[in-house]
Amino acid sequence: METELIKINSIDDEALKRAGQCIKDGGLVAFPTETVYGLGGDGLNEVAAKNIYLAKGRPSDNPLILHINDQKMLSRIVSEVTPMAKKIMTAFCPGPITIILPKSDIIPKAVTGGLDTIAVRMPDNDIARALIKYADTPIAAPSANISGRPSPTTAQAVYKDLQSRIDMVLDGGACQFGVESTIVDCTEDVPIILRPGAITKEMLEEIFPVVKIDKAIVGANVVPKAPGMKYKHYAPKVDMILIEGDNKKMSSSIKEILHKYENEGKKVGLLVSDEVANELNHQNTFSYGSQENLAQIASEIYEGLRYFDDKDVDIILAQGTTDKGIGLAIMNRLHKASGFNSIFI
Ligand code: TXA
Ligand code: MG
């Protein structure tokens, strides 16, 4: 199959209408959202959903998120909108947050991987919203990467992974946030964050007295409630070690570890802040931005993880961040990309 890569300039674009029709007809279209690029198909069409799993090489027990553009669509796909969900929608939607609710009967089994709940999100991106409108159906969309690889934040990264596996890639430029949406389970007494993202625990605590975090987000050997969170994920092609702890000691500690590996004859890549990059001045370095600017780090982190794919390195040393605010999302992705292989300093 030939994959079209098309720049979208406005929501009236003919290509965008064609993409909507393609989804209606059961095809697969990758599109930008404010978080990462999604691989979209008709969320009410069992065959389209199965084709999403095939295109990504994704395990079938890892359910999909349905993307909607209005409340009317929401009421078709869930059996109940809990008060908790209403509160979240009022405060944060459209935006980088996904809510888990009991599903309605019209959802194909392939979409939920057999669960009786459904993940729903209303993206804050004009192209995504227009695509849902033209397709006139909730769009099932996992991140548009080959399963296990870092999520794509540009159309070019999507094309690299999924070329010849899907019908179209809509290029809407780089994504704003760069990490996937926060997932919140809205079926229990208190909200539980199943995956951290740009809507932070602190932001949720402004509207709820208690917010829980699924233990699997911060620990290795725990079975997560979001099935997808159990897989080694977001990973670069070579091994990565996460260096975490005191920021003031980062430069000297990373320098020491770098020299140790170089003495063993290994070629080392560094995924670090501007501050550490400037200090160490090492050849194979991807700098993810200032350690003072977590939003920038979030938007760069997946490009950083992909950067070393075509570089000649044997191992990557990655600098950790704080786990406050969106730092929790960054650290969660870095822990998973490294397979929970950390050095604490
Ligand atoms: O920002 C995002 O959410 C992006 C963009 C494209 O919207 N999408 C995304 O989808 O990250 P994906 O498929 O890569 O991640 C979906 C996550 C998986 O970890 C999956 O296990 C979880 O959502 N999930 C889906 N349905 C669920 C459910 N009913 N209960 C618990 N977790 C669920
Ligand atoms: Mg994903």
Side-chain angles (χ1 to χ4, degrees):
M1 166 192 310
E2 193 151 338
T3 303
E4 276 185 82
L5 172 61
I6 311 169
K7 178 94 197 138
I8 301 295
N9 297 309
S10 95
I11 57 166
D12 298 318
D13 225 309
E14 241 0 87
L16 190 50
K17 293 180 187 162
R18 204 152 50 75
Q21 187 62 46
C22 177
I23 287 192
K24 259 189 183 165
D25 295 341
L28 301 185
V29 176
F31 61 96
T33 80
E34 78 279 36
T35 58
V36 300
Y37 273 73
L39 169 55
D42 181 351
L44 301 181
N45 175 339
E46 178 97 35
V47 176
K50 284 191 173 152
N51 285 336
I52 291 177
Y53 287 91
L54 276 179
K56 279 183 60 99
R58 177 176 174 117
S60 60
D61 70 341
N62 188 1
L64 306 175
I65 297 174
L66 290 189
H67 295 64
I68 58 169
N69 75 346
D70 58 24
Q71 298 283 341
K72 215 169 89 212
M73 244 183 212
L74 176 67
S75 54
R76 287 179 65 205
I77 59 178
V78 302
S79 65
E80 185 198 351
V81 184
T82 60
M84 188 189 294
K86 279 193 189 127
K87 218 166 159 180
I88 289 180
M89 304 234 10
T90 307
F92 302 116
C93 296
I97 191 157
T98 294
I99 54 182
I100 307 289
L101 285 169
K103 74 175 192 69
S104 75
D105 294 338
I106 62 169
I107 313 288
K109 213 168 166 197
V111 169
T112 60
L115 297 177
D116 51 15
T117 52
I118 181 78
V120 188
R121 123 170 174 80
M122 194 184 281
D124 186 16
N125 176 289
D126 289 346
I127 295 174
R129 298 289 290 280
L131 182 66
I132 301 167
K133 196 180 109 214
Y134 293 136
D136 194 24
T137 186
I139 295 184
S143 48
N145 49 283
I146 293 281
S147 197
R149 301 261 301 132
S151 295
T153 54
T154 63
Q156 288 66 35
V158 177
Y159 194 73
K160 234 181 188 169
D161 267 22
L162 296 179
Q163 176 188 3
S164 79
R165 293 168 173 247
I166 62 176
D167 296 291
M168 298 168 86
V169 178
L170 306 180
D171 183 354
C175 299
Q176 182 189 348
F177 291 106
V179 287
E180 304 86 344
S181 60
T182 307
I183 301 180
V184 183
D185 184 352
C186 293
T187 65
E188 310 264 355
D189 298 341
V190 298
I192 310 170
I193 298 177
L194 306 187
R195 179 177 71 183
I199 303 295
T200 61
K201 178 168 189 273
E202 292 85 345
M203 288 160 79
L204 287 160
E205 279 166 347
E206 283 179 22
I207 58 168
F208 296 107
V210 181
V211 176
K212 285 193 187 160
I213 291 190
D214 191 41
K215 286 194 185 67
I217 286 174
V218 280
N221 302 309
V222 187
V223 178
K225 208 173 166 192
M229 298 292 281
K230 73 174 173 281
Y231 296 103
K232 179 169 178 187
H233 214 150
Y234 317 118
K237 289 180 175 163
V238 296
D239 282 346
M240 186 173 108
I241 300 174
L242 179 59
I243 321 292
E244 44 181 320
D246 186 353
N247 249 336
K248 290 195 279 304
K249 288 199 256 161
M250 277 294 172
S251 289
S252 57
S253 299
I254 291 177
K255 193 173 185 176
E256 218 171 274
I257 301 163
L258 168 68
H259 287 160
K260 178 181 147 276
Y261 280 106
E262 283 186 332
N263 286 339
E264 290 172 10
K266 294 219 164 90
K267 297 190 200 85
V268 182
L270 295 183
L271 176 59
V272 295
S273 64
D274 291 346
E275 289 85 349
V276 171
N278 289 338
E279 196 134 326
L280 298 191
N281 202 14
H282 175 72
Q283 195 192 1
N284 276 317
T285 296
F286 183 97
S287 169
Y288 56 42
S290 167
Q291 59 196 29
E292 307 299 326
N293 187 345
L294 290 176
Q296 186 192 3
I297 298 176
S299 72
E300 294 280 334
I301 201 71
Y302 285 134
E303 277 301 302
L305 291 171
R306 285 173 176 266
Y307 173 80
F308 295 102
D309 285 351
D310 50 14
K311 301 284 178 297
D312 184 21
V313 299
D314 305 309
I315 192 155
I316 301 167
L317 301 179
Q319 176 186 354
T321 66
T322 160
D323 58 6
K324 297 278 175 295
I326 199 173
L328 184 65
I330 298 167
M331 284 302 278
N332 169 254
R333 304 320 190 266
L334 287 174
H335 275 134
K336 289 172 63 95
S338 64
F340 288 91
N341 184 6
S342 287
I343 296 176
F344 295 88
I345 58 166

